[in-house]
Amino acid sequence: MKQLNKAVGLIVAIIALSTFFFGYYAYDVHRKGATINQAITISYQRIHYLLTANTAISTLEAGLDNYLLTGNRQYTAGAPTQTAAIYTALTAAAQPVPEANETSALIHTIIRLVTQQQEIYHQQLQQPRSNIISPQLLQRQQLTDSIHTATNRLLLHTRQQLEQATRQQALYNRYALWTTWAGFITLFLLLCGLLLYVRRIMQFRDAGENTLRSSEARYRQLVEDMQVVMFIIDLGGYFIYANKRVSEMSGYSNKELIDNHASMLLDDATSEQLRVFFSDQHGQGIAQTTQEFQIRTKSGDLKWIEMYTTLDMKNGQIRGFQGIIKDIDENKKMRLEMARLEMIQKETQYRLNAIMDHSPSIIFIKDTNGKYLMINKQFELSTGLSSDMVIGKKDSDLIPGHIADTYAQSDLQVIQGRQSINVVEILPVAGHQRHHLLTKFPLLNNEQQLFGIGGIGMDITDRVIYEKELEGAKQIAEDAKKVQEIFLANMSHEIRTPINGITGMTYLLDKSLLSAEQREYVDTIKDCSQHLLVLIDDILDFSRIRSGKLNLEATCIDLRKIMLHAAYLSQQVAARKGIGFGCDIDPAIPENLIGDPVRIAQVISNLLDNAVKFTSQGSVLLRARLLQETNTTATVFLEVKDTGIGIPPDKLHVIFESFTQSSTATTRKYGGTGLGLAICKELITLHGGKIGVSSVLTEGATFYVEIPFVLPAGQVAPTHLKISDAENSLQGTYLLLAEDNSINQKVAQRILEQAGAAVDIVANGKSVLKQVLEKKYDCILMDIQMPEMDGYQAARLLREMGVKTPIIAITASAIAGEKEKCLRAGMNDYLTKPFTPKDLFHKILFSTGAATPGDSSLPIATGQLPENVLVHFSHIRSLLNNETTFIIETLSAFTEQTPGNCAALQQAATTEQWEEVKFLAHKMKSGVNLVGIPVAASLLATLEKDAMEKQNMHTVQTRIQQLSLLLQQATGEIKAEITRMEQSLSGML
């Protein structure tokens, strides 16, 4: 009812205020309308007066003009009346305008002009009529125009005011009408609203009472149906009310709980805790509280609940507590479990941090923008940057830009590739560079989305420094190795040069008439020279092996013949010592095997020489048998057994080491360098085999070798090398010898002249250039190490000058790569000191082609040779007068030179050096003509012609490959023939 009274009073007040507002507004509109009506009336009157005055002025002007024209004064009879009318009208128009505005100013201007006009008018009336056109007439007309102009302006201004007043009047009239209607409508609506509001209030009151009654019922039902327990307890802790949900939570029905104490659901500790809690809430008047605790259900189970409690108040007095209980058992247990897991995670994180901080590795994590998220202690120690300085920063904020750019590039590589990378990053720390070996890897979430970059690494600065030191040491070692090679080359040169003189003089002396005693002396000198050469060769072979520059030849060999040849030589020595010598070779060993004949012979000879050397009584036995044979390989077991001095047990494990012998006494008694067995082991290892020894001191030793050989794809005749002398074969040859050693000059000159050659001698490369320009030579024998200009430079200059004369390098250097160096300088062949005359003759013959007929085709005895035979030996026998030794020497030289010539020809064709192809083809053609291989000679002649004319270039490579295969097969036939001739010579001996 109070609300109704307030609403009615408010509406009445609004009606009163509206009535007052509309009344006042109507009065104001009426007042302003009356003012505007008055202004309109005045404007109409002013217009009337102005028109009257204007008419009177026009009439007065017309009368005066007629008078002046006609002289009739009747036209001016009404002038006084018209003048009075003008002044009366102007005075009336000016009276309602007391303010000094534009209207008043115009009226006063018109009165002033009219007054001046009247003065001129009276003056003209008093003058004679004859003077019609006078200055007064013109002045009067100007005044008349001014009066009309001012009058028109005033009329225009007045009309404008009238129009404005008329518009305002119409506007205020509309305002008055709208205001009247708005007032009536507003009052009507307010009265209607008041009546409706009163009615609605009455309806709301009735509905509210009904709603309140139904709400109480619904509230009670809601309380019963809620998913939470609601209760009321008194101050003593006894239940007054509990909804039905309490049975689902506790197992007790609400009837069982009402009038019972709440402690029936609690253990003693919790009950006491809640008693104190509720006492504090009651005593302090705390309106609302929340507690979590466990209750014991009717079945005895413990369950976590959350209790929200408020004070139960009535008339300001606390009657008890009312509250809501929620079952949070699962949620609470989940939270406890999560708390437990979180604690475990924190412990794990603590352990992880401890591991990271104590890890010797650098560990960091960045986000995808390159900002550091985490670093460990080792990162701080290695970089000198604390975590406060690094976290949240980029590399560009911490280190110079160019280094940061390098880091960013590797980060970008991880992001784009999404895979780990290994990088070495350099960081300036305290003026020094620190090297970090890092593994950077992408960090992906469960959805395989990249969220960062991880890095694990270590500070490898010490290792880098060590590697640099190691590299420096390696360089020092390599330099020392080069020094060693240079030393070996120089030593070889210095030793071989005098030995060359000794062997040369011995050769010349051996050709002269000698007594038996002198012959013995010469033989001793020859043996000593040969021994020195063996020592030098052992040292050089060992050097080549250790430097990895010893390359094995892979050719077809007859292992049985190699063993028999080595056994034959050792048997001769054993016979002179009076000891027995036996040879047992398994006939099942294949006749053809692939291997290096020289190195296999070297191993067998070395083992047999040692056995013979260290055996003073008893015997030496060479045994060979086939261990295993497949379609492609054959493994051969060799055994050399002696009854000599034996090897101490403590020396068996070092016997194959370099410069090692069983004792110093052995070295003094038997000599040697201790390199023989070391070289044997290295050579066998290079062949893929193994070598061992067993021995009983004073009873002898047994060396055994196991070598896997590759079987050749086809049947090719094996090789066995032996070169004999070839004297009197240089008849008519003109030679130039470049040698700075006087002894070697004499020896070489004597040997060459005995072979029928004419020889000029110079001491350096400059003299060679001068001599070649003055004379033409068939061949130049060039020493390498000479004063002023060495042999390399002289050879290059000769080739640049266009000199095609064959050049044979004669040097005391026998280190690996020396021959290739000479060939690159433009020389045609290579010969090491000390050389035998047969070697020198053979080189000269092959280089000059002196033994080759002019026609490249050779006559073939039809029907005398098998169809598959390539080499016509009848030609070379006829050419060399069947001198078997010289034939063997020539054929051996051909087999030695052919592989190198084929390789050089192949290289020249590959690099399209056609002049070199032409030169090599011509050079090889001489050799094959000499030996007697017409098919190869024809092929070489075609290559030479095509290279010279630059035609058929697209088939050159194919033809060279055919030539290589052809010469390889021919070489097999030549080696077989050499073996046959050597056996024939042995039988004759």
Side-chain angles (χ1 to χ4, degrees):
M1 198 64 185
K2 290 181 179 180
Q3 293 179 353
L4 178 62
N5 293 335
K6 289 181 180 180
V8 172
L10 178 61
I11 293 175
V12 171
I14 292 174
I15 292 173
L17 289 174
S18 300
T19 304
F20 173 77
F21 171 75
F22 287 118
Y24 176 77
Y25 186 76
Y27 167 75
D28 185 62
V29 168
H30 175 73
R31 181 179 57 81
K32 290 181 180 179
T35 303
I36 292 172
N37 288 333
Q38 183 181 3
I40 292 172
T41 302
I42 292 173
S43 297
Y44 276 117
Q45 289 176 356
R46 184 181 296 120
I47 292 172
H48 172 73
Y49 291 142
L50 289 175
L51 291 175
T52 300
N54 196 22
T55 302
I57 292 171
S58 298
T59 303
L60 187 62
E61 286 290 326
L64 182 58
D65 291 337
N66 290 329
Y67 164 71
L68 292 176
L69 291 174
T70 63
N72 189 353
R73 289 218 176 245
Q74 289 181 355
Y75 289 106
T76 61
T81 302
Q82 293 170 351
T83 300
I86 292 171
Y87 280 109
T88 300
L90 291 175
T91 302
Q95 283 180 357
V97 191
E99 64 277 2
N101 52 20
E102 183 177 1
T103 303
S104 299
L106 289 172
I107 292 173
H108 289 298
T109 300
I110 294 170
I111 294 173
R112 179 176 55 76
L113 292 174
V114 169
T115 301
Q116 292 178 1
Q117 184 189 42
Q118 290 300 315
E119 291 177 355
I120 297 173
Y121 177 79
H122 288 295
Q123 289 177 3
Q124 285 185 330
L125 287 177
Q126 295 173 3
Q127 291 180 357
R129 191 179 61 82
S130 59
N131 192 6
I132 295 175
I133 300 174
S134 62
Q136 288 81 3
L137 178 60
L138 296 175
Q139 188 175 5
R140 182 174 59 81
Q141 290 178 349
Q142 291 178 353
L143 288 173
T144 299
D145 294 336
S146 298
I147 290 171
H148 286 302
T149 300
T151 302
N152 291 331
R153 287 180 59 190
L154 182 58
L155 285 172
L156 177 63
H157 182 67
T158 302
R159 287 192 181 95
Q160 290 175 350
Q161 288 180 339
L162 180 61
E163 292 174 357
Q164 182 178 3
T166 301
R167 287 193 299 269
Q168 289 181 349
Q169 184 182 25
L171 180 63
Y172 280 116
N173 289 335
R174 287 194 298 270
Y175 284 168
L177 179 63
W178 293 347
T179 302
T180 301
W181 278 106
F184 283 121
I185 293 172
T186 301
L187 290 175
F188 177 76
L189 292 176
L190 287 173
L191 289 174
C192 293
L194 176 61
L195 294 175
L196 291 174
Y197 184 75
V198 171
R199 180 184 177 188
R200 191 166 184 78
I201 288 297
M202 298 300 292
Q203 291 176 348
F204 281 163
R205 185 187 65 180
D206 295 340
E209 291 177 355
N210 294 331
T211 302
L212 180 61
R213 287 191 292 269
S214 62
S215 295
E216 289 178 355
R218 284 197 302 270
Y219 177 73
R220 291 182 178 275
Q221 186 64 34
L222 179 65
V223 169
E224 294 296 333
D225 295 340
M226 286 183 65
Q227 297 298 320
V228 296
V229 174
M230 301 187 68
F231 69 92
I232 299 175
I233 59 175
D234 60 16
L235 294 177
Y238 289 91
F239 285 100
I240 297 175
Y241 169 78
N243 65 353
K244 295 179 180 180
R245 293 290 178 185
V246 71
S247 62
E248 297 179 4
M249 181 180 296
S250 65
Y252 295 99
S253 66
N254 54 350
K255 294 181 180 179
E256 289 177 315
L257 292 177
I258 293 174
D259 296 333
N260 285 313
H261 200 271
S263 61
M264 66 181 296
L265 300 174
L266 307 171
D267 57 24
D268 295 340
T270 305
S271 177
E272 178 62 21
Q273 179 183 355
L274 290 178
R275 185 191 67 76
V276 174
F277 180 78
F278 285 129
S279 297
D280 292 341
Q281 183 177 6
H282 174 259
Q284 299 176 13
I286 302 174
Q288 300 174 353
T289 59
T290 302
Q291 276 277 77
E292 290 183 2
F293 55 89
Q294 281 183 312
I295 63 170
R296 187 176 300 280
T297 64
K298 189 175 183 179
S299 61
D301 297 331
L302 294 176
K303 181 179 290 187
W304 281 96
I305 66 169
E306 181 183 54
M307 184 175 69
Y308 174 77
T309 310
T310 61
L311 297 175
D312 183 16
M313 306 284 293
K314 186 174 184 181
N315 298 327
Q317 298 295 322
I318 301 175
R319 297 189 304 173
F321 304 92
Q322 57 185 5
I324 297 175
I325 298 175
K326 292 195 310 183
D327 186 348
I328 61 169
D329 189 62
E330 293 183 2
N331 184 271
K332 181 69 175 181
K333 290 178 179 178
M334 184 181 298
R335 282 188 288 151
L336 291 174
E337 180 66 16
M338 290 177 62
R340 185 183 69 83
L341 295 177
E342 184 177 358
M343 180 62 68
I344 294 175
Q345 183 179 7
K346 288 182 179 179
E347 292 178 357
T348 303
Q349 184 66 34
Y350 176 77
R351 295 190 186 106
L352 179 61
N353 291 336
I355 292 172
M356 290 179 58
D357 289 339
H358 292 85
S359 172
S361 299
I362 299 170
I363 304 174
F364 64 85
I365 295 177
K366 297 180 182 178
D367 63 16
T368 55
N369 295 320
K371 292 183 179 180
Y372 285 94
L373 302 178
M374 187 201 72
I375 61 174
N376 68 341
K377 293 292 185 182
Q378 188 61 37
F379 185 100
E380 298 180 4
L381 295 175
S382 298
T383 61
L385 302 172
S386 65
S387 59
D388 296 335
M389 299 169 62
V390 175
I391 301 301
K393 301 290 183 63
K394 296 182 179 180
D395 291 317
S396 57
D397 301 327
L398 305 171
I399 56 179
H402 66 284
I403 300 178
D405 291 342
T406 304
Y407 292 6
Q409 289 177 2
S410 60
D411 291 348
L412 182 62
Q413 185 178 351
V414 173
I415 292 174
Q416 292 178 345
R418 292 202 171 200
Q419 59 184 2
S420 62
I421 62 172
N422 296 322
V423 294
V424 176
E425 294 184 348
I426 301 176
L427 178 68
V429 178
H432 300 284
Q433 288 187 342
R434 307 296 298 180
H435 296 259
H436 296 158
L437 175 60
L438 299 175
T439 297
K440 292 186 176 182
F441 51 89
L443 299 176
L444 306 175
N445 58 19
N446 293 334
E447 298 178 354
Q448 296 301 306
Q449 294 178 343
L450 183 73
F451 66 88
I453 301 173
I456 301 176
M458 63 180 65
D459 189 333
I460 60 169
T461 305
D462 294 338
R463 192 178 83 180
V464 171
I465 295 174
Y466 172 75
E467 288 177 352
K468 289 182 178 179
E469 293 175 351
L470 187 63
E471 185 177 352
K474 178 183 177 183
Q475 186 62 42
I476 293 174
E478 289 178 352
D479 293 341
K481 186 176 181 180
K482 291 180 181 178
V483 171
Q484 178 185 4
E485 291 181 359
I486 294 173
F487 168 76
L488 290 174
N490 292 334
M491 181 194 71
S492 172
H493 177 77
E494 296 301 325
I495 296 177
R496 286 174 180 271
T497 298
I499 292 178
N500 187 58
I502 295 172
T503 54
M505 288 299 183
T506 304
Y507 171 79
L508 296 176
L509 186 60
D510 190 43
K511 296 297 181 181
S512 63
L513 295 175
L514 300 174
S515 63
E517 183 179 4
Q518 291 172 334
R519 180 71 61 185
E520 184 179 355
Y521 295 158
V522 170
D523 291 340
T524 302
I525 295 173
K526 290 169 65 176
D527 291 341
C528 293
S529 300
Q530 187 63 33
H531 182 66
L532 285 173
L533 285 176
V534 171
L535 294 179
I536 295 173
D537 289 340
D538 283 348
I539 294 174
L540 291 178
D541 282 344
F542 184 74
S543 175
R544 291 192 191 103
I545 293 172
R546 287 301 173 90
S547 63
K549 294 181 179 180
L550 181 65
N551 297 320
L552 296 179
E553 180 184 0
T555 187
C556 188
I557 63 173
D558 187 339
L559 182 60
R560 288 177 296 177
K561 290 185 177 181
I562 293 175
M563 289 188 291
L564 289 174
H565 181 74
Y568 172 76
L569 297 176
S570 298
Q571 183 183 13
Q572 306 301 317
V573 180
R576 288 196 295 268
K577 291 185 66 173
I579 60 176
F581 190 93
C583 185
D584 181 13
I585 300 177
D586 187 354
I589 296 176
E591 183 178 357
N592 299 329
L593 300 171
I594 299 298
D596 189 325
V598 176
R599 299 305 174 182
I600 295 295
Q602 182 178 353
V603 171
I604 298 173
S605 297
N606 198 305
L607 294 177
L608 290 175
D609 289 346
N610 284 345
V612 173
K613 178 170 64 174
F614 294 112
T615 301
S616 56
Q617 57 182 0
S619 63
V620 173
L621 174 62
L622 170 62
R623 180 183 291 115
R625 69 178 184 272
L626 180 65
L627 282 182
Q628 182 182 8
E629 183 177 6
T630 65
N631 292 333
T632 58
T633 62
T635 303
V636 178
F637 180 81
L638 304 178
E639 183 181 46
V640 176
K641 184 176 182 180
D642 65 67
T643 57
I645 61 175
I647 303 171
D650 59 337
K651 297 296 183 179
L652 289 174
H653 66 285
V654 297
I655 196 65
F656 293 106
E657 294 181 3
S658 56
F659 305 104
T660 301
Q661 290 191 346
S662 61
S663 67
T664 56
T666 303
T667 304
R668 288 194 301 269
K669 181 176 181 181
Y670 296 101
T673 61
L675 288 175
L677 291 177
I679 293 173
C680 288
K681 181 180 179 181
E682 296 291 346
L683 292 176
I684 294 300
T685 303
L686 289 175
H687 277 86
K690 55 185 178 182
I691 186 172
V693 62
S694 61
S695 176
V696 176
L697 190 62
T698 71
E699 294 184 7
T702 301
F703 287 86
Y704 49 87
V705 177
E706 185 177 320
I707 307 176
F709 290 98
V710 176
L711 295 174
Q715 293 298 324
V716 182
T719 182
H720 184 64
L721 301 178
K722 180 173 171 142
I723 301 176
S724 302
D725 294 340
E727 296 185 23
N728 302 320
S729 58
L730 302 180
Q731 192 68 36
T733 305
Y734 198 9
L735 306 176
L736 176 62
L737 174 64
E739 172 64 62
D740 61 318
N741 186 285
S742 58
I743 298 176
N744 287 341
Q745 288 178 354
K746 294 177 181 179
V747 172
Q749 184 179 15
R750 179 63 176 168
I751 293 174
L752 293 172
E753 288 178 350
Q754 284 186 352
V759 184
D760 287 340
I761 299 176
V762 294
N764 55 63
K766 287 184 177 181
S767 300
V768 171
L769 299 179
K770 180 180 178 182
Q771 199 72 16
V772 168
L773 292 177
E774 295 177 355
K775 296 182 180 181
K776 184 177 181 180
Y777 295 95
D778 296 316
C779 185
I780 301 173
L781 305 178
M782 183 84 73
D783 188 20
I784 297 302
Q785 297 183 12
M786 295 185 295
E788 298 188 39
M789 181 184 293
D790 60 25
Y792 301 120
Q793 187 176 0
R796 280 192 293 268
L797 290 174
L798 286 173
R799 296 309 182 212
E800 291 174 3
M801 292 164 55
V803 177
K804 299 297 184 180
T805 304
I807 303 174
I808 300 175
I810 299 179
T811 176
S813 176
I815 61 174
E818 191 68 27
K819 180 177 181 180
E820 290 74 13
K821 187 176 180 182
C822 292
L823 295 177
R824 285 195 301 269
M827 302 183 192
N828 301 83
D829 213 334
Y830 172 88
L831 187 63
T832 58
K833 301 175 184 176
F835 53 82
T836 61
K838 64 180 182 302
D839 294 334
L840 179 59
F841 300 157
H842 204 81
K843 294 289 185 183
I844 295 173
L845 286 173
F846 267 80
S847 296
T848 60
T852 304
D855 189 3
S856 61
S857 61
L858 298 175
I860 303 176
T862 305
Q864 296 180 0
L865 294 173
E867 294 181 358
N868 59 348
V869 173
L870 293 174
V871 185
H872 301 172
F873 296 105
S874 59
H875 173 72
I876 194 170
R877 293 192 188 97
S878 174
L879 186 66
L880 300 181
N881 296 320
N882 286 322
E883 293 185 11
T884 304
T885 303
F886 196 22
I887 293 173
I888 293 174
E889 178 187 359
T890 304
L891 294 176
S892 299
F894 177 83
T895 58
E896 292 176 357
Q897 292 179 353
T898 296
N901 289 337
C902 289
L905 185 62
Q906 183 70 51
Q907 179 65 25
T910 302
T911 57
E912 297 184 356
Q913 299 178 13
W914 304 121
E915 287 296 326
E916 186 68 14
V917 171
K918 182 185 73 172
F919 171 76
L920 291 171
H922 177 78
K923 171 186 172 182
M924 294 176 67
K925 183 178 68 175
S926 301
V928 297
N929 280 329
L930 173 65
V931 175
I933 313 175
V935 178
S938 178
L939 189 56
L940 284 167
T942 305
L943 284 172
E944 181 183 6
K945 180 175 180 295
D946 288 345
M948 181 173 61
E949 297 176 357
K950 304 293 190 301
Q951 64 182 6
N952 301 324
M953 296 293 101
H954 62 285
T955 62
V956 168
Q957 293 282 1
T958 303
R959 284 183 285 169
I960 291 177
Q961 292 177 0
Q962 294 173 352
L963 177 67
S964 298
L965 294 175
L966 186 66
L967 291 178
Q968 182 179 2
Q969 184 177 353
T971 301
E973 294 182 13
I974 293 172
K975 291 181 178 180
E977 181 64 16
I978 291 174
T979 303
R980 188 190 64 77
M981 289 189 290
E982 287 178 342
Q983 291 174 347
S984 177
L985 285 175
S986 300
M988 293 175 61
L989 294 175

Short mmCIF file of all heavy atoms in Angstrom, two decimals, residues 10 119 182 245 317 546 645 879:
data_model
loop_
_atom_site.label_atom_id
_atom_site.label_comp_id
_atom_site.label_asym_id
_atom_site.label_seq_id
_atom_site.Cartn_x
_atom_site.Cartn_y
_atom_site.Cartn_z
N LEU A 10 3.68 10.43 -6.94
CA LEU A 10 4.64 10.77 -7.99
C LEU A 10 3.92 11.16 -9.28
O LEU A 10 4.29 12.15 -9.94
CB LEU A 10 5.56 9.56 -8.26
CG LEU A 10 6.60 9.74 -9.36
CD1 LEU A 10 7.55 10.87 -9.02
CD2 LEU A 10 7.38 8.44 -9.57
N GLU A 119 13.99 73.02 -51.49
CA GLU A 119 14.71 74.29 -51.63
C GLU A 119 15.00 74.57 -53.08
O GLU A 119 14.79 75.69 -53.58
CB GLU A 119 16.00 74.25 -50.82
CG GLU A 119 15.77 74.25 -49.32
CD GLU A 119 17.09 74.12 -48.56
OE1 GLU A 119 18.17 73.93 -49.22
OE2 GLU A 119 17.08 74.12 -47.31
N ALA A 182 -0.26 18.78 -27.06
CA ALA A 182 0.69 17.95 -26.28
C ALA A 182 0.31 17.96 -24.81
O ALA A 182 0.40 16.94 -24.11
CB ALA A 182 2.11 18.47 -26.47
N ARG A 245 19.14 -36.00 0.86
CA ARG A 245 20.41 -36.34 0.25
C ARG A 245 21.45 -36.80 1.26
O ARG A 245 22.47 -37.36 0.90
CB ARG A 245 20.97 -35.14 -0.51
CG ARG A 245 20.14 -34.75 -1.72
CD ARG A 245 20.26 -35.77 -2.82
NE ARG A 245 19.44 -35.44 -3.97
CZ ARG A 245 19.29 -36.22 -5.02
NH1 ARG A 245 19.87 -37.40 -5.06
NH2 ARG A 245 18.51 -35.84 -6.02
N GLN A 317 19.11 -12.77 16.83
CA GLN A 317 19.68 -13.74 17.74
C GLN A 317 20.13 -14.98 16.96
O GLN A 317 19.49 -15.41 16.00
CB GLN A 317 18.63 -14.16 18.78
CG GLN A 317 18.16 -13.03 19.67
CD GLN A 317 19.27 -12.48 20.56
OE1 GLN A 317 20.11 -13.26 21.06
NE2 GLN A 317 19.29 -11.16 20.75
N ARG A 546 106.44 -47.81 -45.79
CA ARG A 546 105.95 -47.04 -44.65
C ARG A 546 105.24 -45.76 -45.09
O ARG A 546 104.35 -45.28 -44.40
CB ARG A 546 107.11 -46.70 -43.72
CG ARG A 546 107.60 -47.90 -42.93
CD ARG A 546 106.46 -48.46 -42.09
NE ARG A 546 106.78 -49.69 -41.43
CZ ARG A 546 107.31 -49.77 -40.21
NH1 ARG A 546 107.61 -48.65 -39.58
NH2 ARG A 546 107.55 -50.94 -39.65
N ILE A 645 120.80 -71.59 -36.67
CA ILE A 645 121.04 -71.21 -35.27
C ILE A 645 119.73 -71.02 -34.50
O ILE A 645 119.74 -71.02 -33.28
CB ILE A 645 121.87 -69.92 -35.20
CG1 ILE A 645 121.11 -68.78 -35.88
CG2 ILE A 645 123.24 -70.12 -35.85
CD1 ILE A 645 121.81 -67.44 -35.74
N LEU A 879 116.88 -59.85 -86.06
CA LEU A 879 117.44 -58.50 -85.90
C LEU A 879 118.64 -58.50 -84.98
O LEU A 879 119.63 -57.78 -85.23
CB LEU A 879 116.35 -57.57 -85.34
CG LEU A 879 116.70 -56.10 -85.23
CD1 LEU A 879 116.92 -55.48 -86.60
CD2 LEU A 879 115.61 -55.34 -84.48
#
